[in-house]
Amino acid sequence: MLAGIYKSTGSWYTAKTENGEVYNARMKGIFKIDGITSTNPVAVGDIVEIEPEDASGNTAVITAIHERKNYIARSSPRQKKQHHIIASNLDQALILVTLKEPKTSQGFIDRCLVAAEAYHIPSIIAFNKTDIYKKKEWEVFEKLESIYQDIGYQVYKISMKTFEGLTELKQILRDKTSLFYGHSGTGKSTLINYLLPELELRTKEVSNWSGKGMHTTTFAEMFDLPFGGRIIDTPGIREFAINDMERSELSHYFPEMRIILQNCRFNNCLHIEEPACAVKEAVEEGKIYMERYISYYNILQSISENDY
Ligand SMILES: Nc1nc2c(ncn2[C@@H]2O[C@H](COP(=O)(O)OP(=O)(O)O)[C@@H](O)[C@H]2O)c(=O)[nH]1
Ligand SMILES: [Mg+2]
Ligand SMILES: [Zn+2]
C-alpha cells in the first residue's frame, strides 16, 4: 500500500498510509534511485509502497519508492560527491531568519536561496522575533526586505511572542509541503509547536522523555498540519549541498542574474574579470544589489576551493 515517509532514523522509517496508519518500515534489498549515489536511499517526503510484515504488528517492508518530484540534499562531510538526501517532494522552503539572538548573516540567507534554486524549490523568507527588533534591526530588515522582494522572493515578518504575521504565514503553508530551514535558535521548533495540533505536540514531548533528545537529532521529520499541508523540520542540518555545482552554473541560481546572463559576451562568463559582462554592468548601474553580488562572489570562491 501507498505510504509517505515521515521520519528516518538510520535503517528504520516512519511510514504513514493514506488512512493515517503508522508503520515502522525498513528496506529489503538495494535500491538505486534517480541514478544518484545517496547515503540514505529513502528520504523524508518520499512516497513508497509498503507491505505489512504481519497482520498484528506495526512493522512493514518498503517494496518500492515512487519517483521524486524533487529533493534537497546536503553533502556528506567526508565524501563531497556523495549526497545525503534531506527531504523530497517539496513545494517550498521556508527560511527562518532572525536579525538578533541569533543574527542570521546575509551570506547564509543567500546560500540557502541558491541551494533551493539549484534544486528547483521556491523559497519564502520569514523574519522571526520581530518583537525584539530595535531601530537598528528594523533598518536591516527594511534593506533586506527590499532586496529580496525586488528579486521576487516573498518576505514575511513574524513573531512567536506577539503572533505577528502568523495568520498570513499559515495561508502560505496551507496544503503545501514546506521545508523549514534556518540557523539553530531562529525559532523553528517554536513555530512548529504552534502550528501542530495538541495531539502531535504531546507525542513529541513523550518521545523526548524516552531518551531521544530533540536537540541531538540530525534527522529531518515531517508533520501533518491540521489545516492541510505538511511541514518538514530539519534540526541540526547546517548546510545544503551546493559545493558540487559547476562554477559557471552558479549565476543561474541568482534570479536577478539569470535573466540577463545571455547579454554577457562569453557564455561561460563567471562575471568576475571578463569584459562586456552584463552582470557587472548591472551591479555598477545599481540594477543588481552589491550585497547579492558579494554573496555570489563568496559562494563562487567556496566552489573553486572544492574543485579537484
Ligand atoms: N523573543 C522571541 N523569542 C523567540 C521567538 N521565537 C522563538 N523564540 C525563542 O528562541 C529560542 C529558540 O527557539 P527554537 O524554536 O528552539 O529554535 P530552533 O533552534 O530554530 O528550533 C527559544 O528560547 C524560543 O522561545 C520570537 O518570535 N520572539
Ligand atoms: Mg529546533
Ligand atoms: Zn558576465
Side-chain angles (χ1 to χ4, degrees):
M1 41 192 181
L2 204 59
I5 299 295
Y6 278 67
K7 194 178 181 177
S8 132
T9 47
S11 49
W12 286 94
Y13 301 93
T14 304
K16 199 192 265 189
T17 67
E18 284 168 306
N19 316 332
E21 291 161 347
V22 177
Y23 288 89
N24 285 319
R26 64 200 164 95
M27 314 245 311
K28 267 189 182 160
I30 293 165
F31 286 76
K32 196 173 175 188
I33 307 149
D34 303 342
I36 50 165
T37 323
S38 162
T39 50
N40 61 331
V42 180
V44 169
D46 276 352
I47 310 293
V48 297
E49 296 289 338
I50 59 167
E51 272 170 23
E53 283 189 306
D54 57 84
S56 56
N58 70 333
T59 64
V61 174
I62 299 168
T63 56
I65 304 167
H66 288 234
E67 202 183 324
R68 294 179 178 127
K69 181 175 84 174
N70 60 24
Y71 66 87
I72 194 149
R74 67 180 161 87
S75 52
S76 98
R78 279 172 218 94
Q79 283 169 288
K80 283 277 184 311
K81 296 282 167 193
Q82 216 181 32
H83 276 177
H84 178 97
I85 296 179
I86 300 168
S88 71
N89 299 320
L90 302 159
D91 294 312
Q92 55 193 15
L94 179 79
I95 305 171
L96 215 54
V97 169
T98 47
L99 296 177
K100 204 178 171 182
E101 299 174 23
K103 188 178 191 309
T104 307
S105 71
Q106 204 198 338
F108 180 86
I109 301 172
D110 289 332
R111 288 186 80 91
C112 293
L113 294 175
V114 164
E117 291 282 343
Y119 291 107
H120 308 291
I121 298 160
S123 290
I124 295 149
I125 309 168
F127 287 81
N128 188 28
K129 307 199 187 183
T130 57
D131 57 290
I132 56 167
Y133 292 5
K134 299 255 160 55
K135 191 169 177 283
K136 192 180 83 187
E137 285 80 23
W138 282 118
E139 279 168 15
V140 177
F141 169 78
E142 269 152 33
K143 175 81 190 173
L144 293 175
E145 181 187 42
S146 57
I147 291 179
Y148 292 113
Q149 282 182 342
D150 283 356
I151 299 164
Y153 292 112
Q154 285 175 281
V155 176
Y156 290 88
K157 45 183 174 179
I158 62 167
S159 166
M160 301 310 304
K161 286 269 151 70
T162 63
F163 302 112
E164 177 181 16
L166 295 180
T167 310
E168 267 179 298
L169 191 70
K170 278 188 186 171
Q171 294 298 328
I172 294 296
L173 301 175
R174 186 184 304 274
D175 298 332
K176 300 261 171 67
T177 300
S178 309
L179 182 80
F180 277 28
Y181 192 70
H183 273 312
S184 143
T186 53
K188 293 179 298 298
S189 300
T190 312
L191 176 58
I192 288 167
N193 287 347
Y194 166 84
L195 293 168
L196 291 184
E198 257 179 76
L199 186 71
E200 191 135 29
L201 192 76
R202 252 183 268 127
T203 28
K204 260 187 100 178
E205 281 164 359
V206 170
S207 71
N208 281 342
W209 287 329
S210 70
K212 285 184 199 160
M214 226 198 318
H215 48 282
T216 55
T217 172
T218 55
F219 293 104
E221 184 167 4
M222 186 159 78
F223 304 95
D224 287 328
L225 290 168
F227 46 86
R230 301 183 187 94
I231 49 177
I232 299 178
D233 190 18
T234 56
I237 293 163
R238 283 177 52 219
E239 209 160 274
F240 298 133
I242 55 174
N243 50 6
D244 61 343
M245 175 189 295
E246 296 288 331
R247 296 170 75 198
S248 58
E249 228 181 304
L250 180 61
S251 56
H252 291 81
Y253 305 129
F254 282 75
E256 72 275 45
M257 298 185 187
R258 182 164 61 216
I259 56 169
I260 56 165
L261 286 174
Q262 71 279 10
N263 301 331
C264 291
R265 177 179 298 166
F266 302 108
N267 64 7
N268 61 348
C269 188
L270 292 178
H271 327 297
I272 303 291
E273 303 276 77
E274 298 88 342
C277 168
V279 170
K280 274 195 300 176
E281 271 166 30
V283 175
E284 274 154 29
E285 290 165 9
K287 290 177 185 155
I288 286 178
Y289 287 97
M290 182 54 88
E291 290 86 348
R292 289 276 291 173
Y293 183 73
I294 292 170
S295 283
Y296 168 78
Y297 182 83
N298 288 337
I299 298 171
L300 192 74
Q301 295 309 111
S302 73
I303 296 173
S304 39
E305 278 158 25
N306 286 310
D307 261 0
Y308 51 90

